[in-house]
Amino acid sequence: MEIGHKPLSRLVDDLSGAAIVLPDIQRDYIWTGKQIPLLLDSLNKEWPVGSVLLWHTNLNVPTKAAGIVQDPPVGVRPAILLDGQQRLTTMVRIMEPNKILVGQKPPDVRFHPGMQEFRNVNAVQGRDPHWIPVSRILARGAQFREILQDLKLDHEQEDGWYDTISDMASRIRNYQFPVQTIESDDYEEVFDIFNRVNTAGTRLSKGDLVMGSMASQWPGGRQVVEDFEAELASKNWAINREVLLRVLSVLEVGSPNHIRLLDLRGSEQWIRAWEKMRTAVLVAVGFLTAQARIPGSSLLPTDYVILLPSVFLHDRKQRFEPGQALELSRWVLLASAFGHYSASLETRLSSDISLF
């Protein structure tokens, strides 16, 4: 891992210029207005505000649109932003307001040079010219005398305020952000790192990573997944997406470790694998409903119980030898009754699949 520093203005340029991009697993930009004055105040005081974590890889990483308008890529492989999205996106929105997405309001954060305070102003303060929009001060090439000339200050006060906003702009634009850079082509390793550095947010599953890869290669794939989930739910068989992806993984690559689905390439392979899994799961649902007398997934201790019947029936083309239907029903009931998947999930699944 490489550890260094970059000025904030350079990181802002890199994000707006698409030299830094977001992986599909990143959450959306969600910062509220009340967080922005605190960030600006910390930057101005040169206090720690966290670090930026970048990932350099030769993998074809699925990406997503940032919360700003990014310039078209220039052919250089971009860095993947694993941590620091909220802070960097916020600073782009302030320092380059022309990059704000259509229909979104720019953050109206202001700075009072006399009070040396950042604030989301109310209606009264918004009409007070002494509360200066931070975007004007931090803009590239800002002319501080022009900003102050309408305030009708005396010369001494204007000189003092000039120094205040000039120094503030310099400290924030040149703030040295700690930047850590990972060089890795190991998806699972980087995925674990991402989850650890984002412990305050919603924890992501490996299924989220797989879905991101699928969506980048199969336009409309997410909607197909959601439609099938809705179809199953309408049959009283709402099944966890992670389980569906594991069934797909077994049928397509022979392993219940669904991270292996990252090896799939192109929409044709994804569509073929998905249809295979869809048919297998629907057949298994039909078997469990009619033969095992289980009317819905709510009666199962875990959705993973459906994996083995799905694979079994798929491999045998829905045909049973004498007594096999009863044996499969018995296995499902016993696995449910004795918590077959209550511990060591990966080991249990791999052991079950090895029986075929």
Side-chain angles (χ1 to χ4, degrees), residues 143-346:
Q143 300 298 310
F144 304 126
R145 289 293 180 188
E146 291 183 8
I147 292 173
L148 296 173
Q149 67 183 5
D150 294 333
L151 303 187
K152 301 190 177 359
L153 306 172
D154 60 47
H155 291 302
E156 183 178 354
Q157 187 178 27
E158 182 175 315
D159 287 344
W161 282 30
Y162 177 94
D163 291 340
T164 297
I165 63 175
S166 175
D167 291 346
M168 181 269 279
S170 178
R171 280 193 295 269
I172 292 180
R173 291 188 61 86
N174 296 318
Y175 182 95
Q176 295 295 306
F177 247 101
V179 178
Q180 297 172 291
T181 304
I182 302 168
E183 301 273 354
S184 176
D185 291 336
D186 186 333
Y187 244 129
E188 289 196 73
E189 176 188 51
V190 174
F191 175 75
D192 287 338
I193 292 172
F194 178 86
N195 260 335
R196 292 191 186 189
V197 300
N198 286 278
T199 53
T202 302
R203 186 168 179 83
L204 298 172
S205 67
K206 291 181 180 179
D208 294 318
L209 186 61
V210 171
M211 286 293 293
S213 179
M214 180 200 72
S216 71
Q217 302 178 63
W218 178 14
R222 282 190 187 274
Q223 189 61 52
V224 170
V225 174
E226 292 170 3
D227 289 346
F228 185 50
E229 290 173 328
E231 178 185 352
L232 290 171
S234 72
K235 301 176 185 290
N236 294 320
W237 281 91
I239 298 174
N240 187 293
R241 184 178 296 180
E242 298 281 324
V243 178
L244 298 178
L245 291 175
R246 286 185 187 271
V247 175
L248 190 153
S249 182
V250 172
L251 298 181
E252 186 66 16
V253 301
S255 169
N257 185 2
H258 52 322
I259 200 72
R260 292 276 305 279
L261 293 173
L262 293 173
D263 294 333
L264 270 58
R265 291 290 178 267
S267 61
E268 290 186 6
Q269 187 174 12
W270 271 107
I271 293 171
R272 183 182 67 248
W274 179 263
E275 287 302 320
K276 190 190 306 181
M277 180 279 296
R278 183 181 186 279
T279 299
V281 169
L282 288 176
V283 168
V285 165
F287 169 81
L288 293 174
T289 302
Q291 300 291 327
R293 299 294 192 270
I294 301 174
S297 57
S298 62
L299 295 180
L300 297 176
T302 171
D303 295 350
Y304 283 102
V305 172
I306 203 171
L307 188 144
L308 188 142
S310 298
V311 176
F312 182 92
L313 290 166
H314 173 270
D315 286 357
R316 283 156 181 73
K317 297 180 172 54
Q318 306 175 36
R319 293 194 294 269
F320 289 107
E321 295 180 7
Q324 280 188 334
L326 180 60
E327 290 177 1
L328 183 57
S329 295
R330 181 182 301 166
W331 181 90
V332 170
L333 295 174
L334 290 174
S336 300
F338 292 98
H340 184 64
Y341 295 116
S342 60
S344 304
L345 177 63
E346 296 284 352

Side-chain angles (χ1 to χ4, degrees), residues 108-120:
D108 187 14
V109 184
R110 310 214 182 172
F111 179 71
H112 194 296
M115 301 170 62
Q116 297 196 31
E117 180 181 345
F118 296 91
R119 186 180 293 181
N120 293 312

